[in-house]
Amino acid sequence: MTRLSGGLIDRSKTLRFSFNGQGYTGHPGDTLASALLANGVRLVGRSFKYHRPRGIFAAGSEEPNALVILRGGARAEPNTRATVAELFEGLEATSQNHVGPLGFDLLAVNDLLSPFFAAGFYYKTFMWPKVFWEKLYEPMIRRAAGLGAMSMQPDPDAYDKGFLHCDLLVIGGGAAGLAAALTAARSGVRVILADEDFRLGGRLLAEGEALGDRPAPDWVAEAEAELVSLPNLRILRRTTVFGAFDHGIYGAVERVGDHLPTPATVRQTLWRITAKRIILAAGATERHIPFANNDRPGIMLAGALRAYVHRWAACPADKVAIFTSNDDGHRTAADLVAKGVQVTAVIDPRRDAKALGQYPLFAGSVVTDTKGRLGLSHVQITRDAAPVWIKAGVLGVAGGWNPNLHLASHHRGRPEWSEAHQAFLPAPAGGPPGLTVAGAAAGQGTTQAALMNGAEAARAALADLGISANLPDLPAASDAKGNQHPLWHVPGKARAWVDFQNDVTVKDIKLAHQENMRPVEHLKRWTTLGMATDQGKTANVTALAVMAELTGQSIPQTGTTIFRPPYTPVSMAVLGGGDTGPHFRPRRLTPSHEWAAAQGAVFVEVGQWMRAQYFPRPGETTWRQTVDREVLATRAGVGICDVTTLGKVDVQGRDAGAFLDRLYANPMASLKVGMVRYGLMLREDGHVYDDGTCARLAEDHYVVTTTTAQAGPVYRHMEFARQCLWPELDVQLISTTDAWAQFSVAGPNARRLLERVVDGFDLSNEAFPFMACAPLTVCGGLRARLFRISFSGELAYELAVPARYGNALMARLVQVGADLGATPYGTEALGVMRIEKGHAAGNELNGQTTAQMLGMGKMVSAKKDAIGTVMTRREGMLAETRALVGLQPVDPADPVTAGAHLFAEGVAQDTWSDQGWITSACFSPHVGSAIGLGFLASGTTRLGEVIVAANPLEGKSTRLRVVSPHFVDPEGGRLRD
Amino acid sequence: MRFSGFRVIAEALTGHKGWKPLWRNPDPQPAYDYVIVGGGGHGLATAYYLAKTFRQARIAVLEKGWLGSGNIGRNTTIIRSNYLLPGNEPFYEFSMKLWEGLEQEFNFNAMVSQRGILNLIHTDGQRDAYRRRGNAMLLAGADAELLNRDQVREMAPYLNFDNARFPIKGGLVQRRAGTARHDGVAWGYARGADIHGVDLIQNCEVTGFRIENGRVLGVETSRGYIGAGKVGVAVAGSSSRVMAMAGMRLPIESHVLQAFVSEGLKPLIPGVITFGAGHFYVSQSDKGGLVFGGDIDGYNSYAQRGNLPVIEDVAEGGMALMPMIGRARLLRTWGGIMDMSMDGTPIIDKTPVEGLFLNAGWCYGGFKATPASGYAFAHLLATGQTHDTTRFMRLDRFERGHVIDEKGMGAQPNLH
Amino acid sequence: MLIPHPLLGPRDAQEFTYLGDASLLNRPDGMAEGALPAFCDYVYLRDNPAGIHRELWFHEQGDRSWLVVTRNTLTHEILGAELARDVALRRQK
Amino acid sequence: MTDLSPLSALGDALPLTIAIGPLTIRENAGMALASLTLRQGSGEPQPFGLHLPGPGGWKATDGIAAFWIGPGAWMVEAEGRAESDFAAALKAEARHCSVSEQTDGCVMFEITAADAAPIRALLEKLVNLDAQGFAPGSARRTGLEHMSVFVIRRAEGHLALLAMRSAAGSVFHAIETAARRLTAA
């Protein structure tokens, strides 16, 4: 017998699917698990350690056994629980974690060797000989371990993220959740109802119950229809709320396209839900009972069996037995009988157990063993030490129910043991604020109680928000209690599984106890209990109880386990969401990007920016050729570079000068209007933070620049100074980085070139000297700002125009300057020229540098209280002798390599004789050899000395001469002419 | 009891009846020569080396919870010595050398696995910085290799080479780096310390110090007063709280660092890979789970749990670096409390209170440091002299202006 | 986390950048006698409490206000937030 | 007038307009922008007769509008005046305040639909604002895929999204991707 009558499947349509290459059929409404069971397939996988045959154990997301690789190719999805995989046309699934066919796994030899693989065995061996660990033992272990295999191909599907806000989030669409959602939604508040299943109803779909005068699924359909009609309620189906985070933020994954052959748009969406109140109505998970060989395919949770029979009309065997320690198991038996399934035995350790229907009852008995190599065939029943074997293809095990309180303990709140419920219940305090637990998750396990409790929880949650809601009329429902009488395990010599996936048995727990691994965390870590993909949902409480029995303590004395996100495993792709390729992070383009691209520029990522690195011309075969040309053309004629990426901050207000005086180590208030000054900014700990320029456009108006990399942090730092340190100053800040396209125009012909674009502006050295600045117009009336500053050491200007004109201005400058040798240059040439000039940049300003090291110690004014000034007076900073020097190879053919370490000649090269390192290096077409900058101990007094640059990483060592860092125009005549 | 393969076989054949407790559960004595506060990795290692190497007797480790419940119980298990500055690199290399003989020394398989670490390079500036670092490593006696893009591709072909926002331009590799089974390290040290007579006392919370005339006499605990000749505090994550009981303020903030494990998977990555452009690093455990992490959450916290933005950020980084992991699932997350120091470097030093010693400020580098930290702290406790490799890790370095700032972030702990 | 912005109401903490202990508002006078030890304390030492903590958050993806947020570091519960500028001005008085 | 030709933020000669399902996305290149910040004791001005909105607000009158960007700070918009020196005009209206030119600091996308539903759906996918509570007249700066953006609800069926001009392509990619997915879904 496989398919029964009834069920919530659409028999009018047939879906074809395959498992391990074998074709089967099912119907819409099936899961892969229900369809396999309906086809009589019991063996679906292998366990982690012993490779024991495993079947379908549960009917929901707690499944520990029935893990498959779903789909194939790049979409292959290992470790997928067959119990939550919705059937679709063409579904392919394969079993995992075996060598050879599933029915004859070569690694099943591990099961024979299991005595050697007791808990923690690997900590005690594989230590000799030492080299064998990486070479032999570990590779062997790694190959045998793991579960499913990844495709190793990029995930081809798209993923999405989004943000939702609501007054009430209801997690779980079973009896309690539906009642809560109805109550709240009718009051008009904004409600989100999230359910992990593809069909609302929860256990209501899995029972044969009536609600009022109708079958439960009919009531569910009616409630759902009402909910769908309410505009203030949103149903998220196939959505798992996986984590409770701070302040009412919940993470949820909607499986948008997982039930389709291929997703129509995205496969999954990550929702971040911000909710004022939350009702957790996640139901309960049934416990099993460990007994000898309790892990064979066909042995499953009794409640799951009931669900398969009612919801999916699937029963995987003709003869079914039930092992239960409570009344709930008898319900399963009665339901099966009513469905026409042959129940061969109901085994109940209670001597006074009563049958609920027509089936053989073995009261006062326990299951003590099973048979069946790849699937259950026989069950051994023992009463008063007298065993009998009976035939059964399926054994339903009912050990009571554990509330699904996981999310309630995501804030590290500890669940509390309830003697009355014989289960852990959510603690009254310590859970996520605003969250209430309702229904079976709160121990309110009967249908009647769940409905009432859900509605009442919603009413109370809304009352808490100051909103009154009426309790809805709820249908009459069953209030049959399960009567939990836990039987934590059946004693015996053979192995009895507690954690199926990780093969943790009662024996392992005993061994942990024997070896003093008794605290629950030691128990878990020593045995790997609860570390499987079901996160211990089916194992942890049982294991605690077994340990409690061994220590003679109560369960709460033994410990509790708390839960952390995620509630069920979540795909990496959906957590990563969005774009992972070129749009992984924003890309900022400079104003002249289009022009540069049209010129064939090569671009480079500089933080978020894409900058032109160099502009190759036909015939140039190496980047060096191009860069040398750009440098020489700039130094001989004029070069143009887009420097928009530098941060720009508008500083205004009566106290702008006083404010900048406190931000920069050097004075700024004394700067004259129309002039620019280099500024050195320290962190409060005295190290160099950033550098840039301050231009004073008016008495109460400065424009300051920052380095490209530090634009954001420096702006934040400035706001900190303004708002937190000196709020009394009248100063206003706003970033204008993107508003202005800024171009460096550098070289002896810079002035002549600019004269061709400015509108009647006197650029003569007298009218507009070095470090002058002014507003002006260019190209027939375009607003612009001009700064006479130089990074290259040449006569140079920076010209800024509104960003939308940047592209055209770049083209114009190159065009009108053709006869002057106007040459666009990129970041490489920029870097070469600043090294030639000895200007510090990112490699020098790495946060570990002092003003003294940069030769700027004297700029730190002692006459004012600027950020960082005081801390430069610490002994260690004063004693710093490393200083920026220029470095040139003794043999001009030798390279200079940034990252090489500096040593005196003839000393042993180790950490303790290390005297510094090369920060930046390049080939200087001006000098005609490689050059570099570096920090060298006592550097300022060692000019002319020959030192060694050691680069053992690349097996090179070169002799360098220490020189001034100013390779070009050390007197600075060029930039002042 | 000595552990070995033969022993495992013998016990298997005789029903595992012979296995003994890994350590005793002693009641605290009234006084010890040395009291180590904190039964995490560093505290256990300190006790182990004090007893075994420095041959000191009468030692107790006091642990508030269960042994190994500190950050050794929740980390991403990476061991490496790829630091830059002389204040750090020789220390971590010393630690690396101790790792290399650790299991044979304490007769416990902590699964020290030297499968290498690869730090990816995305820019020329980064290559310069990594070259400086790689050279610093070699100069300190460690190993390092600089790889170009093709070599990285050969090593890790599944990384995103063709469609990345931050193209991979190379990498710095330390082959001797790798991972170790974190709990195994704690248990190995605990068992070793127990064998050498150390009293490991669980569920014993230190509630105060008894200090007279500037000298520590003992500690008040939840299990009564315990006298001590010397007290060593190794309670990373709680350093500020514990030292406040001795009247000290520290250059430390407590921050939460989350870490993550995926479901078990067949082997896909051999070693450790770090992706600086996207805040992501990953390795794969022997059980098959991808173990990964990223940045700290960034705000002061003692809550041992983090928030969703960091989970997303780490997953984004992972997806950008290795788009093949999309269909792997995140299984577990946890949050550990980091002792974030003001320069990102730890402190192993005496304190102004005589007889009271501090081991703190490990940021997220504590696990790899466990052996050397224990050794150096034991050295300091036993001899009164700073171990050579920790000579810069002083408490007064901040006021003296000798910070050891690997990242160059200054006095902002959440940026280290 | 949600930061209760005094002007904009609850805003997601992702919009903010964290700095640390609000004692950073109490910058010593750099020109005073004994400024160096005062600065060493100011820059490096922290109470780092497990419990109520006053701390600085910058609404970077928002209104660019620095806030002083009072938060419990054990539970992450937020007890209040005000503009740092207001706190700083009040302190000066 | 200058003889240079401007480019749109997306790098084209003409600003883009594109219809995706029920949504129309238009780059607004004509909007002039200038920031206005109060100085100590400057009093709150009413530039062009506009009462400046409070925190989180956006207000419009006769082609001029303003949205709150921080305590004592607003961004003032002038439709169709990108080519003029709008900052100077604003300064003339608020002499005692600090004014900075911002026209090219941002790329501005005007996103319109016949009613609120598609706008809300788009908002949910883009930014962490309460899409239903974000009523017309609201303006916020918030995060969007690692970028900082201003979002303005000009009307039920009209959203404006401002981002750093240099990141125009990345912002547009995000908007377009979300819009296409909503349409396909």
Side-chain angles (χ1 to χ4, degrees), chain B residues 313-326:
Chain B
D313 187 52
V314 170
E316 273 178 27
M319 287 302 296
L321 180 67
M322 325 199 277
M324 64 138 175
I325 60 168

Side-chain angles (χ1 to χ4, degrees), chain A residues 650-657 696-703 722 727-734 785, chain C residues 85 89, chain D residues 35-45 52 70-74 87 90-92 94-101:
Chain A
D650 224 32
V651 182
Q652 299 194 43
R654 278 189 301 278
D655 300 319
R696 193 164 198 173
L697 298 181
E699 269 304 313
D700 59 355
H701 189 182
Y702 290 75
V703 171
R722 185 179 81 93
E728 73 281 8
L729 298 182
D730 180 50
V731 55
Q732 295 83 40
L733 306 174
I734 195 152
R785 289 170 175 172
Chain C
R85 184 186 170 83
L89 283 170
Chain D
S35 60
L36 182 156
T37 315
L38 302 185
R39 292 190 176 181
Q40 283 179 13
S42 65
E44 196 164 308
L52 294 168
W74 293 264
L90 179 61
K91 181 75 186 178
R95 296 215 165 274
H96 301 293
C97 298
S98 292
V99 171
S100 298
E101 170 157 354

Side-chain angles (χ1 to χ4, degrees), chain A residues 405-422:
Chain A
L405 44 72
H406 305 67
L407 285 145
S409 74
H410 277 185
H411 286 198
R412 298 187 65 79
R414 291 192 173 272
E416 284 181 3
W417 180 256
S418 162
E419 279 298 321
H421 291 84
Q422 287 293 305

Side-chain angles (χ1 to χ4, degrees), chain A residues 370-387:
Chain A
T370 65
K371 282 190 209 165
R373 193 176 73 84
L374 297 177
L376 182 70
S377 64
H378 292 78
V379 174
Q380 187 191 57
I381 303 170
T382 301
R383 178 183 165 118
D384 297 335

Side-chain angles (χ1 to χ4, degrees), chain A residues 345-476:
Chain A
V346 173
I347 306 106
D348 191 326
R350 297 175 297 174
R351 287 182 182 272
D352 58 352
K354 302 263 184 309
L356 285 180
Q358 295 298 310
Y359 48 78
L361 171 65
F362 293 73
S365 306
V366 290
V367 175
T368 43
D369 203 357
T370 65
K371 282 190 209 165
R373 193 176 73 84
L374 297 177
L376 182 70
S377 64
H378 292 78
V379 174
Q380 187 191 57
I381 303 170
T382 301
R383 178 183 165 118
D384 297 335
V388 295
W389 285 96
I390 62 146
K391 276 191 177 179
V394 165
L395 175 67
V397 181
W401 294 78
N402 289 324
N404 289 337
L405 44 72
H406 305 67
L407 285 145
S409 74
H410 277 185
H411 286 198
R412 298 187 65 79
R414 291 192 173 272
E416 284 181 3
W417 180 256
S418 162
E419 279 298 321
H421 291 84
Q422 287 293 305
F424 283 102
L425 296 185
L435 178 139
T436 331
V437 188
Q444 303 290 329
T446 74
T447 308
Q448 181 71 49
L451 287 167
M452 293 299 297
N453 190 234
E456 176 52 33
R459 196 200 58 74
L462 297 191
D464 210 20
L465 292 174
I467 298 157
S468 67
N470 299 320
L471 292 179
D473 286 334
L474 294 168

Side-chain angles (χ1 to χ4, degrees), chain A residues 841-930:
Chain A
N843 278 16
E844 287 76 32
L845 304 177
N846 66 350
Q848 300 168 332
T849 311
T850 66
Q852 213 164 308
M853 288 168 75
L854 294 170
M856 297 182 188
K858 291 209 174 74
M859 279 178 69
V860 181
S861 168
K863 293 189 189 131
K864 62 190 182 90
D865 179 14
I867 288 175
T869 305
V870 171
M871 293 296 260
T872 61
R873 296 179 202 139
R874 285 178 291 170
E875 157 221 322
M877 293 186 70
L878 293 173
E880 176 64 73
T881 69
R882 286 176 301 187
L884 192 68
V885 295
L887 298 162
Q888 225 174 307
V890 173
D891 176 350
D894 273 346
V896 179
T897 311
H901 287 240
L902 304 177
F903 292 91
E905 275 201 297
V907 304
Q909 291 176 2
D910 63 21
T911 304
W912 309 118
S913 48
D914 195 331
Q915 294 192 318
W917 71 100
I918 300 175
T919 55
S920 302
C922 67
F923 179 83
S924 166
H926 174 81
V927 175
S929 77

